[in-house]
């Protein structure tokens, strides 16, 4: 009875809207001698990468047997946007070149004024 079940992953956003992410059906064989015993089976599913800040919400896993339905407590994910800071090297190089040019120009003007 409990060897066939379905696993569903979904999330609920801040507007309380449910969005299905992934569904699958399972049929697990019970080894001899393991009947009538509780078993725990891991079913991991990764959602990567989050599409945008609108991916913020609570993510759930739900398992359904014939007459039983169990839902996890959920995991809240806060998706935040970020800015690419790859300009640091370009700014550093530009500043270094600018200071070098000013230094050379200042030295040349000082030497020219002394003559």
């Amino acid at each position: 009875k409990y060897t066939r079940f379905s696993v569903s992953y979904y999330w609920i956003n801040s507007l309380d809207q449910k969005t299905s992410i992934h569904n699958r059906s399972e049929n697990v064989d019970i080894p001899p001698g393991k009947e009538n015993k509780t078993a725990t089976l891991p079913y991991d599913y990764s959602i990567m990468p989050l599409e945008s800040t609108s991916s913020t919400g609570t993510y759930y896993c739900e398992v359904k047997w014939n007459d039983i339905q169990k839902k996890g407590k959920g995991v809240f994910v806060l998706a935040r946007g970020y800015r690419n800071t790859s300009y640091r090297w370009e700014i550093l190089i530009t500043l270094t070149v600018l200071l070098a040019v000013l230094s050379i120009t200042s030295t040349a003007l000082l030497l020219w004024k002394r003559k």
Side-chain angles (χ1 to χ4, degrees):
K1 178 178 178 179
Y2 298 109
T3 60
R4 291 176 162 247
F5 56 92
S6 66
V7 181
S8 302
Y9 300 93
Y10 62 92
W11 68 287
I12 297 177
N13 65 17
S14 60
L15 301 174
D16 213 27
Q17 297 168 325
K18 182 178 176 179
T19 303
S20 178
I21 298 170
H22 182 72
N23 296 304
R24 71 176 184 225
S25 296
E26 295 290 335
N27 188 11
V28 179
D29 292 327
I30 300 175
K34 298 288 184 179
E35 299 91 351
N36 297 323
K37 293 187 178 178
T38 301
T40 302
L41 301 171
Y43 287 93
D44 296 333
Y45 184 76
S46 297
I47 304 162
M48 296 289 279
L50 293 176
E51 294 174 5
S52 67
T53 56
S54 63
S55 298
T56 294
T58 306
Y59 289 73
Y60 294 94
C61 174
E62 186 174 82
V63 179
K64 294 179 185 177
W65 289 273
N66 292 336
D67 55 346
I68 299 173
Q69 180 175 326
K70 294 287 184 180
K71 181 173 82 168
K73 295 178 182 177
V75 175
F76 179 77
V77 175
L78 175 61
R80 288 185 158 176
Y82 68 94
R83 283 197 177 186
N84 189 351
T85 56
S86 65
Y87 299 111
R88 286 185 183 180
W89 284 108
E90 294 165 359
I91 292 171
L92 182 63
I93 290 169
T94 302
L95 186 61
T96 303
V97 168
L98 181 63
L99 289 174
V101 168
L102 288 174
S103 176
I104 292 168
T105 305
S106 300
T107 305
L109 285 174
L110 284 174
L111 290 175
W112 180 58
K113 271 203 164 198
R114 273 193 175 179
K115 289 183 178 182

